[in-house]
Amino acid sequence: MPTPILTHNFPVTASYFPTMERPVRLVARNLKISQDLAPHSHPCGQITYTPQGMLQVIAEGTVWFVPPMRAIWIPPDTVHEVRLLTESNLRAIHIHQDFSPLSKKHCLVLEVSSLLRELIFSLEYTESGSIREQHLVQVILDELIAAKPLPIYLPMPKDKRLKNLCEILLTHPASNETLKTLANKVGASSRTLTRLFEQELHMSFGDWRQQMRLARAYPLIANGTPLSQVASELGYASQSAFSAMFKKTFGVSPSSFFRQAE
């Protein structure tokens, strides 16, 4: 019997994995917010996508936020964890490593075009092993090659104290607590944490918190959340303050940025 890959709520067995004859397989699961997927890996590559909901994927010491307009490529044998930020319709597209249209080395976030979204939807309801499935798979692979990569990610540390601090901020992105206050919560001095931020993440505490908020803001805006609400949820005093920070980083306002992405 195939050995299951254990996750929080369901096993993925070898029967789900692609073969040379069927190089792309789709696994569809509609998950509630409590049904996170524990760290695991696959021998094949995977596109993780949700047409409805929002995911947080942790892999390669990095956090990636995945809204419906985006997907994340996870290379073969990469240990990854999936956390649900809302109820989500998870669609995992497993791709045989010999047919991979993307780099086998690192994860990356991709734009999901309207065509790719409809192709994935059609694949879900297409007869397994049919000629139609073969045609859909070929176009899906072509669309993945053409998909635009996006540098929306958040590096995570290995040091336990620093990791605990970062997890606190991820859970409470609106928190404006000082490094000294947070240091007391994780059992380290602010001086030690400042040094660890520079050594492990090559950025300051303030820069990491801003990067975290940007990474968190991106899927919220992509999902249609009003900018005033995004600013409030991320701890900014006003929408204009958030927009100014966004423009300083990306060179354009949030509304202009997302119009360009459409």
Side-chain angles (χ1 to χ4, degrees):
M1 296 207 35
T3 301
I5 294 176
L6 299 178
T7 66
H8 180 83
N9 63 305
F10 66 92
V12 176
T13 66
S15 63
Y16 286 98
F17 294 150
T19 62
M20 293 294 289
E21 293 73 27
R22 295 182 64 197
V24 174
R25 301 289 300 276
L26 174 67
V27 177
R29 292 286 188 275
N30 296 338
L31 303 175
K32 297 186 181 299
I33 195 167
S34 61
Q35 294 179 296
D36 295 341
L37 309 186
H40 63 286
S41 64
H42 309 290
C44 53
Q46 177 177 307
I47 294 290
T48 298
Y49 165 68
T50 174
Q52 181 176 336
M54 195 175 302
L55 307 173
Q56 178 179 303
V57 177
I58 303 171
E60 301 181 322
T62 302
V63 175
W64 315 76
F65 294 92
V66 187
M69 294 168 59
R70 309 289 180 252
I72 181 171
W73 162 248
I74 303 172
D77 301 314
T78 299
V79 176
H80 57 283
E81 174 184 355
V82 180
R83 299 178 183 176
L84 280 75
L85 300 178
T86 65
E87 290 189 2
S88 300
N89 298 341
L90 176 65
R91 301 296 180 262
I93 305 166
H94 295 150
I95 303 174
H96 193 283
Q97 59 182 351
D98 290 345
F99 292 81
S100 171
L102 300 165
S103 167
K104 298 181 181 179
K105 294 183 179 180
H106 300 291
C107 297
L108 71 159
V109 171
L110 303 169
E111 284 190 345
V112 176
S113 66
S114 297
L115 175 57
L116 182 55
R117 182 175 64 245
E118 294 303 322
L119 288 166
I120 295 170
F121 177 81
S122 297
L123 184 63
E124 184 179 349
Y125 295 98
T126 297
E127 180 182 357
S128 298
S130 65
I131 295 296
R132 175 175 171 77
E133 181 188 63
Q134 294 176 27
H135 291 167
L136 287 172
V137 163
Q138 187 55 62
V139 184
I140 286 173
L141 294 176
D142 288 344
E143 278 296 289
L144 289 174
I145 292 173
K148 178 183 176 181
L150 297 164
I152 305 299
Y153 62 91
L154 185 68
M156 291 292 285
K158 294 181 179 179
D159 181 90
K160 184 177 179 180
R161 297 161 297 177
L162 190 57
K163 186 174 182 180
N164 287 341
L165 183 152
C166 291
E167 289 283 0
I168 290 172
L169 293 178
L170 275 171
T171 304
H172 305 286
S175 170
N176 284 309
E177 291 182 303
T178 65
L179 181 58
K180 183 176 180 179
T181 300
L182 291 165
N184 291 332
K185 294 183 177 182
V186 300
S189 69
S190 58
R191 183 176 179 179
T192 295
L193 293 173
T194 296
R195 175 175 53 80
L196 289 171
F197 266 109
E198 294 291 348
Q199 286 184 349
E200 289 205 26
L201 303 178
H202 308 293
M203 63 178 72
S204 68
F205 164 69
D207 288 343
W208 189 91
R209 177 150 61 183
Q210 178 174 293
Q211 180 77 358
M212 176 272 294
R213 287 172 168 171
L214 276 172
R216 188 70 181 89
Y218 195 95
L220 288 173
I221 301 172
N223 219 26
T225 305
L227 289 180
S228 57
Q229 183 178 336
V230 173
S232 176
E233 289 188 18
L234 299 181
Y236 288 91
S238 65
Q239 177 180 328
S240 60
F242 166 74
S243 295
M245 182 277 297
F246 192 100
K247 186 173 183 179
K248 182 179 179 181
T249 303
F250 289 101
V252 295
S253 67
S255 55
S256 297
F257 184 92
F258 281 88
R259 278 199 300 271
Q260 293 171 8
E262 291 176 354

